[in-house]
Amino acid sequence: MPSLSPKSAKLQQSPIRKLAPLAREAEARGTGVIYLNIGQPDMPTPPEMIAELHGLALNRLAYAPSEGLLESREAWSAFFASWGIDYSPDEILVTAGASEAITFVLSVVAGGGDEVLVFEPCYTNYLSFAAQADVRMIPITLRVEDGYHFADVERLRGCVTPKTRAILLCNPSNPTGTVYTESELQAVAQVASEHDLFVICDEVYREFVFGSGEVRSFTRFTDLAERIIVVDSVSKRFNACGVRIGCMATKNREVLDVTLRFCQARLSVATAEQLMVVPMLRDGRAYSERLCVEYEGRRDAVFNGLGVIDGVTPHRSEGAFYTMTRLPIQSCEDFAAWLLRDFVHNGETICLAPGEGFYVTPGLGIDEVRIAFMYDVPTMTRAMKILDAAVGTYPGRLAAVAATSSF
Ligand SMILES: Cc1ncc(COP(=O)(O)O)c(C=O)c1O
């Protein structure tokens, strides 16, 4: 049998989905499973969006233009404007989710083993996107003790090499829920200008900022406009992961032109889906603000629930709809499997995402898990009680109350 490509070997199995077979077996045994492992919003897609789909007067589903339908790009432009961000329709390319946008953009700005800086823990698919683009992800490791903030510009500067082409910034962050501070964003801006780098801004959770926190798009650094490439998506903010609509936007004409060639090679993005999201893009700010309030309540339930678990110092996430936390457990991967295979609490168990898969650096995150807030407050509260009971029972629990650091 012929062997597969070296690139194939670099694509990792999704750490978020790999426990799925065990979860299915638990359900088959009659155990209820609360899925804390996946960022698939539980709330309904807005009825306006579904109504728009049903009402579309389409009698011929031809290829859409590769850059996206004008109606769709105009709607994205209006959406950005509603958050004070200035991109005209001709500075926007519609993509199949943010995933396609990131994959294309990485290939446009880097390749041939070039380096892109990323804060870890990071969105796990970045590693697969980078492998496809032949890009090396260089991690700047953040620690739970610091709330996954980095604060110091030197940490960033120290990772730049002659091969560095860009910084990939996810703000608010999946998986940590960190919202970067003004000074951290300035540090990113400073290093990008000093070293002539692009900044790829993954802002798919932009408006999910809790409490009195400000929604701070990196696009505010208008003096860096030519370096900034924003990737965005309707998936999370409109509970519409399945429509697969996102975009990239930039003021950099060369980046736009070359990304368009990638878009042309894949021909187009689905016509009906581009159109069905138009009303929400034009008028969806209040909707996503309501979602944010709901996620904040869930964050509180998780934070409070983690706080009573012996040996856990919970991390209070500031945005998105995730938190990472360290558990007093040697291997969270084994623990997550045990939860599904061997543990039941009042007829239920939980499915966690082990932390290791969110790190670029091998060996980090083995005692951490990511928790997604994809159930209502009572269910999230119950899930934390199940976690508490499980940590107390687990044979692999660390003896010392304070969990060891993975650093
Ligand atoms: C940080 C981040 N970026 C990008 C994506 C991909 O989003 P999309 O569904 O638009 O492809 C996700 C999905 O979970 C994400 O969490």
Side-chain angles (χ1 to χ4, degrees):
M1 198 54 100
S3 61
L4 303 184
S5 70
K7 209 177 259 189
S8 317
K10 288 191 191 157
L11 292 193
Q12 62 164 354
Q13 195 190 4
S14 165
I16 301 171
R17 292 171 195 266
K18 75 180 169 195
L19 291 165
L22 288 181
R24 277 195 296 273
E25 282 166 32
E27 285 179 331
R29 290 193 303 274
T31 304
V33 178
I34 303 178
Y35 290 89
L36 305 177
N37 59 324
I38 191 156
Q40 170 88 270
D42 56 311
M43 287 172 273
T45 302
E48 299 89 313
M49 210 188 264
I50 306 292
E52 186 70 14
L53 178 65
H54 288 297
L56 288 176
L58 292 170
N59 52 18
R60 182 170 163 262
L61 285 164
Y63 287 127
S66 299
E67 65 273 25
L69 292 163
L70 181 59
E71 298 92 311
S72 176
R73 287 181 295 114
E74 283 174 344
W76 274 106
S77 176
F79 166 76
F80 284 128
S82 75
W83 289 98
I85 299 168
D86 168 37
Y87 285 115
S88 60
D90 70 341
E91 292 166 336
I92 295 168
L93 300 172
V94 180
T95 55
S99 305
E100 188 184 60
I102 302 166
T103 310
F104 285 173
V105 166
L106 284 173
S107 285
V108 170
V109 303
D114 285 337
E115 296 172 357
V116 170
L117 305 186
V118 68
F119 295 104
E120 70 173 354
C122 64
Y123 175 48
T124 160
N125 280 339
Y126 286 166
L127 302 182
S128 297
F129 300 155
Q132 289 174 62
D134 196 14
V135 166
R136 278 189 68 208
M137 284 287 172
I138 304 297
I140 300 146
T141 307
L142 306 180
R143 304 170 356 126
V144 62
E145 290 82 354
D146 304 324
Y148 300 103
H149 282 278
F150 68 99
D152 183 3
V153 67
E154 289 310 327
R155 300 241 10 239
L156 202 50
R157 223 179 243 138
C159 293
V160 177
T161 75
K163 300 203 86 178
T164 311
R165 304 286 299 136
I167 302 169
L168 173 52
L169 178 75
C170 178
N171 188 35
S173 159
N174 174 10
T176 62
T178 302
V179 177
Y180 293 103
T181 62
E182 181 61 33
S183 68
E184 285 171 319
L185 295 185
Q186 273 170 9
V188 171
Q190 196 178 329
V191 173
S193 326
E194 277 170 13
H195 294 277
D196 195 18
L197 306 176
F198 288 105
V199 184
I200 305 167
C201 309
D202 180 342
E203 298 191 352
V204 304
Y205 300 99
R206 182 182 300 109
E207 56 269 42
F208 295 155
V209 174
F210 304 144
S212 54
E214 230 185 290
V215 175
R216 287 195 204 92
S217 171
F218 197 80
T219 53
R220 288 171 321 119
F221 294 95
T222 45
D223 48 332
L224 265 66
E226 292 278 317
R227 303 184 177 284
I228 294 174
I229 306 165
V230 172
V231 295
D232 217 326
S233 169
V234 302
S235 289
K236 314 292 171 152
R237 65 171 53 88
F238 299 139
N239 291 324
C241 295
V243 305
R244 309 306 306 132
I245 296 294
C247 74
M248 69 79 82
T250 182
K251 302 266 172 205
N252 186 311
R253 206 20 75 190
E254 193 186 2
V255 169
L256 274 169
D257 288 349
V258 178
T259 311
L260 177 58
R261 289 181 220 162
F262 280 84
C263 294
Q264 286 167 345
R266 62 78 166 113
L267 303 179
S268 65
V269 172
T271 304
E273 282 81 349
Q274 287 192 60
L275 293 174
M276 76 184 277
V277 301
V278 164
M280 286 308 288
L281 283 172
R282 288 193 170 278
D283 195 21
R285 182 171 165 149
Y287 177 87
S288 49
E289 282 173 342
R290 282 198 302 279
L291 277 190
C292 184
V293 172
E294 171 65 24
Y295 288 133
E296 186 167 355
R298 297 176 181 193
R299 185 279 312 266
D300 291 343
V302 170
F303 181 74
N304 295 335
L306 289 172
V308 300
I309 303 178
D310 202 14
V312 174
T313 310
H315 156 62
R316 188 178 163 89
S317 65
E318 299 147 336
F321 45 58
Y322 307 98
T323 193
M324 292 252 328
T325 191
R326 176 170 295 137
L327 298 178
I329 279 169
Q330 196 93 48
S331 160
C332 283
E333 178 142 4
D334 292 349
F335 177 59
W338 174 85
L339 273 163
L340 294 168
R341 224 176 0 227
D342 301 311
F343 186 76
V344 185
H345 182 77
N346 298 333
E348 286 183 305
T349 191
I350 52 177
C351 186
L352 293 168
E356 207 173 347
F358 298 93
Y359 283 83
V360 184
T361 309
L364 292 187
I366 53 176
D367 54 359
E368 289 171 66
V369 290
R370 187 192 73 170
I371 294 170
F373 312 154
M374 300 289 94
Y375 294 85
D376 60 13
V377 169
T379 312
M380 292 308 297
T381 305
R382 208 166 70 241
M384 291 305 103
K385 289 200 170 118
I386 296 172
L387 180 61
D388 186 15
V391 169
T393 317
Y394 184 54
R397 186 181 199 287
L398 292 176
V401 168
T404 51
S405 161
S406 54
F407 291 88

